[in-house]
Amino acid sequence: KYSSPVTTVLSTRSGTNQWHGGLFYTGRNNGFGVARQRQDFYTKPPQLIRNEYGASLGGPVRLPHLYNGKDRTFFFFAWEAYSLRSGSTISTNLPTPAMQQGDFSQLTDGQSRPVTLYDPWSTAGAAQNYSRVPFSRNVIPAGRRSPFAAHYYSVMPQPNQPDVNPSVAANWFGPNPTKQNDWTYTTRIDHRLGDRDRIFGRYTIGSRTVLNRRPNQPTPVSLDKLWNSQDNVEKTQSGSLTWNHTFGPALFVETVFTAARMDWRFDMLEATANQNLAPKLGVPNPFNIPGAPNLSNMGFSLQGTGFIPRADDTKPVTGEQNYTLVRGKHQLEFGWRAQRMILDVLPDRPGEGAISFASQATGLYDPATGTAFNSLPRTGDNGANFLL
């Protein structure tokens, strides 16, 4: 009877000879008063506005001067909605404004020991153990900054704790935004054909839209929403037609036809996701795929998870009959089911690629490692690699 590991049984109410309806509302709002963690720095609490509401109405179908459905035809209608606006506090380590311009003179490790950067273009040959020249005062000339880094820093929130060393502690605190809207409409019509037969039809349509920061993402959402955010759009339609027939006190049959469509879109909602950023970033994009590349190892906790558009559209259609037979103290259930499932999938697209800046380009070669390039301790930095 339940042909898959997870089976959902959907039950809906029927109208009756009497009119019945209801309204409900549940609300939460940070304006009502909010508890906060000791480490939260804000004076105004983060946004938390959550509303759940809906209405329902059921009764006999009546068309004045045309039809009176008492004892025969009934309707039931329900509407539900949910909205959430929230912004819990997160913290992270971001490069300082000076570092974003190439000034790494204050760069240290986690124990506040200075780190030296070396110019990758000064690398000598194997006879000189691939020696390099350090950048003067650990400052990378402004002309060496890549257009990629310049663009990314221009759309990222800036550190708001200027006196904190990002190598040691978090220097940015801010909201973790979530925006969600859900709604569902359901309509059901019941009709009694006679003492032995009853039919009903149901139609449900719903939608869910969620925009938020990517889970487990250490970096805040970029100002253009191209990095570190995600959007999900789910639209669902389903309908069913059921005929119940009673052959007698010992035999009952239920005939059901259902159809549904579940359409899911991921990372396709934001208009900026349709841009081709390659010309701005100075990176290759041979297939001209819109969106932003995935970035990693950019220094400190900086990371850039770009849009990865994907989707699937599921359309199941099912017909079945369920028989119930009573024999003395025993009840037997049997029947059949036919189902057709159509699934259209747009698989993950890698946007404009995936780029890691853990290149050790600004470190100093360690002769003890042999042929593998490993930097000497406290030399080189991924943030400087990214800047270059």
Side-chain angles (χ1 to χ4, degrees):
K1 186 175 182 179
Y2 303 115
S3 60
S4 61
V6 178
T7 299
T8 300
V9 178
L10 177 64
S11 298
T12 51
R13 293 176 61 182
S14 168
T16 65
N17 279 330
Q18 296 180 337
W19 295 86
H20 290 283
L23 297 170
F24 73 89
Y25 169 75
T26 302
R28 295 179 62 189
N29 195 305
N30 55 282
F32 300 161
V34 173
R36 64 180 184 180
Q37 303 176 88
R38 288 191 178 96
Q39 65 267 33
D40 283 337
F41 69 94
Y42 52 77
T43 55
K44 181 181 179 181
Q47 184 184 44
L48 175 59
I49 302 174
R50 175 174 167 174
N51 296 299
E52 300 174 65
Y53 42 92
S56 63
L57 179 65
V61 174
R62 290 179 180 174
L63 301 175
H65 311 295
L66 294 175
Y67 182 75
N68 185 348
K70 182 180 180 181
D71 295 327
R72 292 183 63 84
T73 309
F74 313 95
F75 80 93
F76 186 82
F77 173 80
W79 162 67
E80 298 178 53
Y82 170 94
S83 67
L84 174 66
R85 305 292 184 271
S86 68
S88 58
T89 304
I90 60 170
S91 62
T92 193
N93 308 63
L94 300 180
T96 65
M99 293 174 181
Q100 296 177 28
Q101 297 297 323
D103 184 353
F104 289 85
S105 57
Q106 302 301 315
L107 180 65
T108 69
D109 65 5
Q111 300 179 40
S112 298
R113 296 176 296 184
V115 174
T116 303
L117 303 179
Y118 289 82
D119 186 351
W121 290 107
S122 68
T123 307
Q128 289 82 33
N129 279 332
Y130 306 105
S131 62
R132 288 173 170 172
V133 177
F135 284 106
S136 177
R137 301 187 307 278
N138 247 22
V139 176
I140 298 174
R144 301 280 295 275
R145 188 169 74 153
S146 72
F148 197 142
H151 175 79
Y152 188 83
Y153 287 141
S154 72
V155 297
M156 284 303 300
Q158 295 298 305
N160 50 25
Q161 306 295 308
D163 298 328
V164 175
N165 181 353
S167 298
V168 178
N171 65 343
W172 184 87
F173 289 80
N176 178 21
T178 295
K179 179 180 178 181
Q180 179 175 340
N181 291 315
D182 299 359
W183 56 263
T184 303
Y185 294 94
T186 297
T187 301
R188 170 170 165 161
I189 301 293
D190 288 74
H191 182 69
R192 190 169 68 88
L193 297 171
D195 293 337
R196 292 176 177 268
D197 296 278
R198 180 171 178 171
I199 61 172
F200 73 85
R202 175 194 58 81
Y203 175 70
T204 300
I205 184 171
S207 174
R208 164 172 290 182
T209 303
V210 182
L211 294 92
N212 57 5
R213 185 178 65 95
R214 289 187 184 275
N216 305 315
Q217 173 61 260
T219 309
V221 176
S222 62
L223 303 179
D224 60 2
K225 298 182 180 179
L226 267 173
W227 279 287
N228 309 323
S229 68
Q230 66 181 12
D231 61 63
N232 292 274
V233 180
E234 302 173 35
K235 295 183 179 180
T236 303
Q237 298 183 71
S238 67
S240 67
L241 181 64
T242 302
W243 171 29
N244 294 328
H245 177 72
T246 303
F247 289 97
L251 181 60
F252 170 84
V253 61
E254 176 189 50
T255 304
V256 183
F257 295 97
T258 63
R261 179 174 184 179
M262 293 156 280
D263 187 14
W264 178 72
R265 297 286 184 270
F266 187 87
D267 277 355
M268 291 185 173
L269 189 61
E270 290 291 337
T272 48
N274 297 315
Q275 296 180 9
N276 182 354
L277 284 183
K280 289 183 179 180
L281 305 180
V283 296
N285 185 13
F287 300 107
N288 294 315
I289 294 176
N294 288 334
L295 312 175
S296 60
N297 300 307
M298 306 162 70
F300 305 105
S301 296
L302 202 62
Q303 189 166 320
T305 303
F307 275 80
I308 309 175
R310 55 189 184 270
D312 65 58
D313 189 1
T314 308
K315 295 182 281 289
V317 179
T318 303
E320 64 180 85
Q321 278 191 324
N322 302 305
Y323 293 85
T324 301
L325 177 65
V326 178
R327 283 289 182 264
K329 296 182 179 181
H330 302 280
Q331 177 174 303
L332 303 177
E333 295 187 5
F334 53 96
W336 59 267
R337 172 182 294 125
Q339 183 178 65
R340 186 185 187 198
M341 178 79 72
I342 302 172
L343 176 61
D344 297 320
V345 177
L346 173 66
D348 291 7
R349 295 190 295 168
E352 294 180 4
I355 307 173
S356 169
F357 297 92
S359 61
Q360 304 190 67
T362 53
L364 186 61
Y365 175 68
D366 184 356
T369 62
T371 57
F373 188 91
N374 285 306
S375 299
L376 286 169
R378 298 195 302 280
T379 67
D381 179 73
N382 288 346
N385 303 341
F386 174 57
L387 186 85
L388 288 167

